[in-house]
């Protein structure tokens, strides 16, 4: 059969718009504001408060390395599509760069730059010896077969073989990727390097050197951050209610673990549907329903169907956006009724919404703190791979919880000390560590 060549980059913005519109029943992702500009706005604010040296600020305002590759893949119908693949290494000031790989239609350089910078700050806040990076491929994994995704992942890995490395740059899962993709990366990378190198990625299946507790780690961190936030804000844990947006890796584990911690989950959602039940959603039934229903909630009978916009404005103690970026913006921030927002997703709140939420007295536990549980256990996985000795799930959970509580306390302390929000307090916590590292290493 003749090979048809068509570029997946054609009409990139058009496709991104369509994808955003079809993915986004809450209308959140449709205007693609510069995410990296939002990172810089917060960085500048924190830098001013903490009197960061201008040299260090200049270093952190730019990514160290940005790679864009065209990845040709033979599709099942015999045609060839060329996908846009990205990897941005934002900083290696504290150690090798670390960050997930995202498969989504709205992936572009701006988004990957922002996500990479957040990884730098996240690792500094969690006090783990990594810098920050992020990768992504503009594709719609829901519309691709397993074979196409395997070829795409392996071709992208080969294209990035000089970038990735166990002491250089270590990917992990993010939106649209999971342990299956990580296993493919191990395979392709090991073949290129001619030796087995499982430590090049984290979030692997257990049999390939994955860590106990990694899959649930980000959701677990969201749960611990929510409990800590309840303590400092005086919310009664026994009567607490929560609404969770997103039912993928982060949202589903956050829902399950908060439910186990006896927090009443009154609303859940994914890109197909949202459900509300003031009496509490049976989270275990929802998990089973999604598992039997192609991973989505559409058709679930355990609550009244509402929209994703309504979920965000429910009167709850904890709102946990765990799906996509920019769902809380200047447009709806005034309508948010939660006491606490725990950001499981990266960038769910726009920079303009920050001020509105702060004025309303809503405590926002920012993404770079709240979803740091994933990279923390990724670090444990990397340590275990090098050590050749593996910890139990309980050991991993204990280390992770202690680490999240310490990080939360540091951020809370800095927010109080500098009379600012937890988000800026988190940036301050990161900047203090990064400034030391950059200065110790010096410049050419
Ligand atoms: P995932 O692909 O496993 O799940 C995403 C979920 O969001 C799905 O349930 C999907 O249906 C839902 N969703 C998509 N569009 C939506 C919309 N418009 N409205 C409501 N729901 C929508 O992804 P994930 O790994 O759970 O990642 C979610 C977020 O958490 C991302 O921002 C990611 O960067 C961040 N994050 C993930 C990890 C991790 O370890 N996986 C770590 C840190 C941060």
């Amino acid at each position: 059969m003749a090979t048809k060549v068509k570029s997946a980059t054609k009409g990139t913005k058009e496709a991104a718009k369509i994808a955003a519109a079809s993915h986004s029943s809450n209308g959140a992702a449709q205007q693609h504001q510069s995410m990296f500009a939002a990172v810089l706005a917060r960085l500048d604010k924190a830098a001013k408060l903490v009197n960061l040296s201008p040299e260090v600020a200049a270093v952190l305002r730019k990514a160290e390395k940005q790679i864009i590759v065209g990845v040709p893949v033979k599709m099942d119908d015999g045609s060839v599509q060329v996908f846009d693949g990205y990897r941005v290494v934002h900083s290696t000031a504290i150690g090798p760069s670390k960050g997930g790989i995202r498969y989504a239609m709205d992936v572009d350089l701006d988004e990957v730059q922002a996500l990479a910078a957040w990884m730098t700050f996240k690792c500094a806040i969690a006090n783990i010896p990594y810098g920050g990076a992020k990768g992504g491929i503009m594709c719609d994994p829901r519309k691709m077969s397993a074979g196409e995704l395997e070829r795409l992942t392996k071709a992208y890995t080969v294209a990035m073989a000089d970038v990735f490395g166990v002491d250089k740059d270590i990917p992990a899962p993010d939106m649209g990727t999971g342990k299956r993709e990580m296993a493919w990366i191990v395979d392709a990378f090991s073949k290129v390097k001619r030796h087995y190198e499982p430590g090049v990625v984290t979030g692997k299946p257990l049999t390939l050197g994955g860590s106990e507790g990694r899959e649930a780690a980000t959701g677990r961190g969201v749960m611990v951050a929510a409990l800590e936030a309840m303590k400092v804000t005086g919310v009664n844990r026994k009567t607490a209610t929560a609404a969770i947006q997103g039912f993928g890796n982060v949202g589903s584990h956050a829902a399950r673990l908060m439910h186990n911690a006896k927090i009443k989950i009154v609303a859940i959602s994914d890109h197909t549907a949202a459900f509300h039940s003031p009496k509490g959603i049976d989270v275990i039934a929802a998990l089973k329903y999604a598992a039997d229903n192609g991973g989505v909630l559409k058709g679930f009978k355990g609550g009244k169907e509402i929209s994703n916009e309504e979920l965000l404005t429910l009167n709850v103690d904890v709102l946990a956006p765990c799906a996509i970026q920019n769902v809380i913006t200047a447009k709806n921030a005034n309508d948010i009724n939660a006491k606490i927002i725990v950001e499981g997703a990266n960038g769910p709140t726009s920079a303009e919404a920050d001020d509105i939420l702060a004025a309303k007295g809503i405590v926002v536990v920012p993404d770079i703190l709240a979803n740091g549980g994933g990279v923390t256990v990724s670090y444990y996985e990397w340590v275990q791979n090098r050590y050749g000795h593996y910890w139990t799930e309980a050991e991993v959970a204990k280390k992770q919880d202690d680490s999240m509580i310490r990080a939360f306390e540091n951020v809370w302390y800095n927010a109080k000390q500098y009379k600012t929000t937890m988000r800026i307090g988190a940036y301050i916590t990161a900047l203090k560590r990064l400034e030391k590292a950059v200065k110790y290493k010096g410049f050419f």
Side-chain angles (χ1 to χ4, degrees):
M1 188 198 293
T3 297
K4 283 183 283 168
V5 176
K6 84 178 163 191
S7 169
T9 60
K10 252 189 169 181
T12 294
K13 289 292 158 201
E14 204 53 42
K17 271 190 216 149
I18 296 163
S22 66
H23 284 193
S24 170
S25 49
N26 57 23
Q30 66 281 63
Q31 345 101 328
H32 200 66
Q33 308 166 321
S34 166
M35 279 172 73
F36 191 55
V39 176
L40 295 182
R42 278 118 168 203
L43 169 64
D44 291 345
K45 207 166 174 179
K48 206 168 161 195
L49 280 175
V50 82
N51 210 10
L52 188 75
S53 93
E55 293 85 5
V56 176
V59 168
L60 294 173
R61 292 183 107 262
K62 272 212 166 75
E64 281 179 20
K65 202 190 283 181
Q66 310 184 34
I67 302 104
I68 305 178
V69 289
V71 190
V73 175
K74 176 92 65 88
M75 307 304 281
D76 291 347
D77 66 1
S79 67
V80 170
Q81 275 199 38
V82 185
F83 293 86
D84 286 348
Y86 301 87
R87 187 75 183 167
V88 172
V89 173
H90 173 258
S91 171
T92 54
I94 295 186
S97 51
K98 184 90 188 83
I101 297 175
R102 170 177 289 198
Y103 287 0
M105 282 306 285
D106 51 7
V107 165
D108 63 13
L109 187 61
D110 175 69
E111 178 178 300
V112 183
Q113 281 177 324
L115 291 162
W118 279 326
M119 285 307 298
T120 301
F121 303 128
K122 206 177 288 186
C123 293
I125 292 164
N127 203 16
I128 52 184
Y130 285 143
K134 203 80 179 192
I137 303 179
M138 198 197 111
C139 66
D140 186 348
R142 293 189 199 112
K143 295 203 175 121
M144 293 171 70
S145 70
E148 289 169 342
L149 285 168
E150 179 173 358
R151 293 191 290 280
L152 174 63
T153 305
K154 290 185 171 177
Y156 171 78
T157 306
V158 171
M160 295 291 175
D162 289 331
V163 181
F164 298 163
V166 71
D167 283 312
K168 269 167 97 175
D169 179 40
I170 309 131
D174 191 74
M175 229 158 90
T177 60
K179 61 185 175 194
R180 177 181 72 165
E181 286 73 17
M182 298 306 112
W184 290 334
I185 294 175
V186 169
D187 182 57
F189 188 81
S190 301
K191 281 179 177 142
V192 171
K193 298 290 173 187
R194 304 257 172 231
H195 63 262
Y196 187 49
E197 196 68 275
V200 69
V201 290
T202 57
K204 299 178 288 288
L206 284 177
T207 44
L208 292 180
S211 175
E212 292 286 358
R214 173 61 186 89
E215 209 165 311
T218 309
R220 181 175 188 91
V222 169
M223 178 268 291
V224 174
L227 296 182
E228 290 304 296
M230 285 184 207
K231 273 190 214 157
V232 296
T233 51
V235 167
N236 184 351
R237 196 177 144 176
K238 289 195 182 124
T239 56
T241 55
I244 299 179
Q245 182 182 56
F247 212 62
N249 176 282
V250 182
S252 69
H253 286 293
R256 178 179 60 81
L257 291 162
M258 282 199 213
H259 174 77
N260 288 352
K262 306 267 183 284
I263 296 165
K264 195 199 277 181
I265 311 296
V266 294
I268 55 172
S269 75
D270 66 10
H271 70 286
T272 65
F275 298 93
H276 180 217
S277 166
K279 286 195 295 192
I281 302 263
D282 181 345
V283 176
I284 307 305
L287 287 166
K288 185 167 182 326
Y289 182 85
D292 296 342
N293 195 39
V296 297
L297 288 169
K298 184 131 201 83
F300 177 59
K301 297 278 175 267
K304 180 174 163 251
E305 189 158 353
I306 57 170
S307 67
N308 260 291
E309 288 96 329
E310 286 171 301
L311 179 144
L312 293 169
T313 57
L314 288 174
N315 196 346
V316 286
D317 292 302
V318 178
L319 170 65
C322 298
I324 53 166
Q325 58 262 23
N326 283 333
V327 292
I328 302 172
T329 64
K331 253 174 140 181
N332 64 353
N334 256 317
D335 304 326
I336 304 289
N337 285 304
K339 294 193 181 73
I340 299 165
I341 297 175
V342 184
E343 296 183 336
N346 282 310
T349 309
S350 75
E352 307 86 68
D354 277 350
D355 295 337
I356 302 172
L357 297 174
K360 282 171 69 89
I362 297 172
V363 169
V364 179
V365 187
D367 44 10
I368 51 176
L369 168 65
N371 69 32
V375 73
T376 302
V377 178
S378 274
Y379 166 57
Y380 301 155
E381 180 174 330
W382 182 79
V383 169
Q384 292 170 84
N385 289 156
R386 318 193 98 194
Y387 203 32
H389 174 74
Y390 289 82
W391 303 326
T392 63
E393 195 174 350
E395 284 171 316
V396 171
K398 166 91 177 75
K399 282 185 212 296
Q400 182 193 342
D401 294 355
D402 290 349
S403 164
M404 175 57 82
I405 292 167
R406 257 195 321 271
F408 189 99
E409 286 171 352
N410 279 335
V411 168
W412 185 253
Y413 173 83
N414 278 322
K416 292 285 137 213
Q417 181 91 341
Y418 290 88
K419 299 190 174 39
T420 185
T421 59
M422 280 195 87
R423 184 177 321 278
I424 300 302
Y427 275 85
I428 289 173
T429 308
L431 290 179
K432 285 183 174 185
R433 290 203 171 117
L434 286 159
E435 181 168 42
K436 273 194 207 142
V438 173
K439 283 192 168 167
Y440 272 131
K441 287 166 116 177
F443 302 96
F444 289 98

